[in-house]
Amino acid sequence: MLEARLQTGALLKKVLEAIKELITDANFDCSDNGIALQAMDNSHVALVALLLRHDGFEPYRCDRSLALGVNLVSLSKILRCAGNDDIITLKADDTADVLSLTFENTDNDRISEYELKLMDIDSEHLGIPDTTYEAVVQMSSAEFARICKDLQVLSDSVQIDVTKEGVKFAAKGELGSGAVTLKQNGNVDKEEEATLIELQQNVSLNFSLKYLVNFTKATPLASRVSLSMSSEVPLLVEYKMEAGYIRYYLAPKIGEDN
Amino acid sequence: MLLPSPSSGLPARYVIQDGGLYEMQMVDSEGLRSWFVGDTIQSDGALFLITPFDPVFMLIPILDTMRQKTPTSEGKFLMLEGIFGSSNDQYPSMRHLTNLKNIDGYLALVCEVRDSSPSMKTFRLDDDRVMGWLKKKMDVLVSKFGTIPALVDSIAYTESLPEACRSEAITQSVLRLISANLSDSWATRLSANYQFPELDKLESRTQLPSMSEFGKRSGMDLDDEPKTKEVKKPKMSVGQRKLAKASTAGMKPMTSFFAKKA
């Protein structure tokens, strides 16, 4: 039995927007810790890990661990029926054949109730070890989204170089080349926009821009994004929310020298 | 008194006074209205309109049923009492129609009359006379058309159109008016006598494609799309379709980085 009440429905709507473009079906794993989701995209080069911690809900109750197999497009269609200010309550029985959603609008005393049919999904969970990355860049999420979008005009892939001076995004394609460099700054006045770099070692990696642009669908969820990189391991793009996170992993492109 | 309405055959209210037939219509605003009558208030807001009604319209359907026409026989000749007599249970007040002034004259307009003796007049509805009378009615109304403001308004849309169109519109409007007092079968028979080539041209030029065409078009879509769609691909969102195009050359799968959990 799961019962989770979310004060701001907009959060769940945004989360769905952020993952439904990457994966089709996924299990929402509900436990007393919260609601988690882990899934790979169709070509298995990217992975998304979502966690909505129990303290983000009021109240949250989950007696026994449940896996709710959901078609994300269907779920986001139902969530479109919810207003941004609606309080959303998720409920599911232990049999878990439907997920019932209740949208409460306090302004006009409207209560909408929807039920989503669930499905059985075979999911393989990957164990993701805690890694110490060689370079971690923290920056404005809007800035990151803009850079990815801009460079996509030039090429399908971007080279990210991190040094202690700053981080450089460079793309080269048929029509020309472009690069955006952000200098490390500890701008105290504009904490939201500051670019912070923690560096063990300089890194230079290539990534698919189409995937990065896809990840930036999560931009509305957090004003900050962190990019964690080590050579030869997947890039971690993390958006931290108040009670939880959404993490994207993307395999680097190897053997492509731009 | 209740009589069958000539157009629908359903009961409607009529009044006979001083040998004239009147149609009664009630304008009712569902109890939301009341009237001031002098210094008092009449709470029932319904308004009864009583207007003169040409008895011939009333007679046509009655005669039509009473003559009992069959494909082989032209039907019966009947006396006044036979036509409106007590044989009609549903509308007992029908016999009052015999009190109408000049009822014989009205009947003669649309009936074949046989009078073997002055006291023994018999009548039978005659289709040709009905049509003749209806057409005459049409002509009278068409000629008086301009004097009736409500009718002139009904063809206001033709003001900028050529004269031929306009006169057709007048005929059409009158036809509608008369058909409103006829049963469907008579109305179709009457309208068969009138064609509106100019108006038809106008309509075909200005009319939007009819609903049936829309139906066909969407029907085709319904037939074709699901089949092709289903065969093609499972559902993918926009973002996924974009990613499907992305080159993953040189990228290792996630499983090569992260071990599967037992």
Side-chain angles (χ1 to χ4, degrees):
Chain A
M1 166 86 192
L2 165 79
E3 187 174 341
R5 191 176 148 100
L6 191 62
Q7 282 297 323
T8 45
L11 175 71
L12 197 58
K13 290 172 83 140
K14 287 178 195 163
V15 165
L16 253 288
E17 288 305 309
I19 55 177
K20 80 162 202 293
E21 304 286 276
L22 191 64
I23 49 183
T24 318
D25 309 309
N27 279 326
F28 282 89
D29 300 305
C30 308
S31 65
D32 54 1
N33 195 26
I35 300 177
L37 176 149
Q38 193 201 75
M40 279 184 284
D41 79 305
N42 282 333
S43 28
H44 287 206
V45 296
L47 181 144
V48 58
L50 165 77
L51 177 68
L52 302 169
R53 276 200 315 273
H54 65 93
D55 52 332
F57 299 95
E58 182 55 45
Y60 181 87
R61 183 184 148 204
C62 185
D63 313 327
R64 203 158 13 127
S65 294
L66 274 179
L68 309 175
V70 167
N71 176 286
L72 296 172
V73 174
S74 309
L75 179 57
S76 79
K77 276 181 189 162
I78 287 185
L79 285 175
R80 245 175 252 160
C81 308
N84 281 336
D85 302 325
D86 287 6
I87 299 169
I88 298 185
T89 309
L90 305 173
K91 273 186 203 163
D93 287 332
D94 285 340
T95 52
D97 40 13
V98 288
L99 171 67
S100 70
L101 300 105
T102 311
F103 309 145
E104 289 168 62
N105 189 312
T106 43
D107 287 344
N108 55 12
D109 296 327
R110 186 187 62 219
I111 296 179
S112 329
E113 289 174 316
Y114 293 88
E115 279 194 343
L116 176 69
K117 287 185 190 156
L118 297 179
M119 46 212 267
D120 282 326
I121 299 168
D122 289 329
S123 66
E124 8 177 55
H125 277 260
L126 302 184
I128 301 168
D130 280 333
T131 319
T132 313
Y133 287 93
E134 290 164 3
V136 177
V137 179
Q138 303 213 23
M139 59 186 290
S140 147
S141 64
E143 185 68 53
F144 177 61
R146 194 189 147 177
I147 292 169
C148 292
K149 213 176 104 209
D150 288 352
L151 293 180
Q152 199 182 20
V153 174
L154 295 165
S155 169
D156 276 351
S157 60
V158 61
Q159 183 176 345
I160 304 182
D161 293 303
V162 190
T163 61
K164 63 178 188 297
E165 280 80 34
V167 54
K168 181 180 169 199
F169 301 82
K172 194 157 76 176
E174 279 171 24
L175 69 95
S177 63
V180 180
T181 309
L182 294 177
K183 281 186 189 153
Q184 150 124 277
N185 59 39
N187 196 332
V188 190
D189 297 337
K190 295 179 188 169
E191 222 174 274
E192 297 280 281
E193 290 168 29
T195 304
L196 303 170
I197 299 173
E198 293 163 41
L199 197 69
Q200 320 284 330
Q201 196 184 323
N202 288 359
V203 291
S204 173
L205 290 163
N206 273 299
F207 298 102
S208 159
L209 266 174
K210 281 207 170 81
Y211 275 88
L212 291 182
V213 168
N214 193 297
F215 297 166
T216 60
K217 296 271 193 274
T219 306
L221 282 167
S223 59
R224 306 283 293 163
V225 61
S226 78
L227 314 175
S228 307
M229 284 161 280
S230 289
S231 44
E232 308 277 309
V233 302
L235 157 77
L236 163 61
V237 181
E238 180 176 17
Y239 294 85
K240 270 202 172 82
M241 297 175 279
E242 255 174 60
Y245 57 75
I246 182 162
R247 287 178 184 161
Y248 299 96
Y249 295 88
L250 178 64
K253 287 191 167 199
I254 293 163
E256 216 180 280
D257 286 313
N258 285 338
Chain B
M1 60 190 211
L2 278 180
L3 289 173
S5 148
S7 59
S8 61
L10 298 171
R13 282 183 192 282
Y14 295 88
V15 173
I16 291 179
Q17 201 172 21
D18 300 333
L21 180 66
Y22 298 86
E23 184 185 32
M24 179 143 80
Q25 280 178 315
M26 189 172 75
V27 182
D28 188 4
S29 47
E30 291 163 358
L32 298 175
R33 201 156 296 178
S34 46
W35 297 100
F36 284 108
V37 182
D39 288 339
T40 60
I41 294 172
Q42 173 67 35
S43 68
D44 183 0
L47 178 67
F48 292 92
L49 288 175
I50 298 176
T51 48
F53 193 76
D54 191 325
V56 177
F57 284 116
M58 179 61 69
L59 297 176
I60 292 173
I62 299 174
L63 291 162
D64 208 359
T65 44
M66 292 311 288
R67 71 177 160 167
Q68 297 172 328
K69 188 181 175 180
T70 59
T72 50
S73 117
E74 281 293 298
K76 294 186 219 165
F77 281 90
L78 290 167
M79 306 222 311
L80 272 186
E81 291 73 23
I83 297 169
F84 307 112
S86 51
S87 64
N88 201 313
D89 297 334
Q90 200 189 350
Y91 299 104
S93 44
M94 206 183 265
R95 65 195 154 82
H96 295 301
L97 286 174
T98 53
N99 299 333
L100 288 176
K101 208 188 275 176
N102 193 24
I103 179 75
D104 290 7
Y106 287 127
L107 286 168
L109 284 173
V110 289
C111 288
E112 203 178 319
V113 187
R114 277 187 195 168
D115 37 354
S116 34
S117 71
S119 58
M120 284 282 285
K121 265 193 182 174
T122 53
F123 303 88
R124 185 179 70 182
L125 191 67
D126 181 356
D127 291 0
D128 294 338
R129 285 193 198 195
V130 174
M131 285 322 283
W133 180 79
L134 286 173
K135 280 185 203 168
K136 241 182 255 167
K137 197 90 183 163
M138 289 278 300
D139 294 342
V140 171
L141 269 172
V142 169
S143 67
K144 295 256 176 81
F145 195 85
T147 64
I148 308 167
L151 290 178
V152 175
D153 286 350
S154 74
I155 59 150
Y157 69 96
T158 58
E159 244 156 42
S160 58
L161 296 171
E163 194 53 38
C165 246
R166 212 171 148 75
S167 66
E168 275 184 18
I170 290 174
T171 318
Q172 196 180 40
S173 168
V174 170
L175 179 64
R176 268 193 222 120
L177 188 71
I178 290 186
S179 301
N181 287 310
L182 292 173
S183 66
D184 284 352
S185 61
W186 282 108
T188 8
R189 266 198 255 179
L190 179 63
S191 62
N193 290 293
Y194 297 91
Q195 272 87 40
F196 308 101
E198 293 289 327
L199 282 182
D200 288 347
K201 260 189 258 166
L202 183 76
E203 274 175 27
S204 61
R205 235 181 304 150
T206 53
Q207 237 179 15
L208 294 164
S210 68
M211 286 311 282
S212 63
E213 280 172 53
F214 283 119
K216 265 183 231 156
R217 235 173 275 158
S218 62
M220 259 163 26
D221 290 351
L222 284 175
D223 285 346
D224 295 350
E225 264 182 36
K227 282 181 208 156
T228 47
K229 253 188 199 169
E230 271 171 4
V231 176
K232 265 184 193 166
K233 257 176 197 176
K235 284 171 260 161
M236 284 218 277
S237 57
V238 183
Q240 285 175 311
R241 277 197 293 276
K242 275 188 198 160
L243 286 186
K245 280 182 229 151
S247 138
T248 51
M251 291 160 81
K252 286 188 195 164
M254 278 291 137
T255 41
S256 67
F257 298 105
F258 306 127
K260 278 180 198 172
K261 267 188 197 169

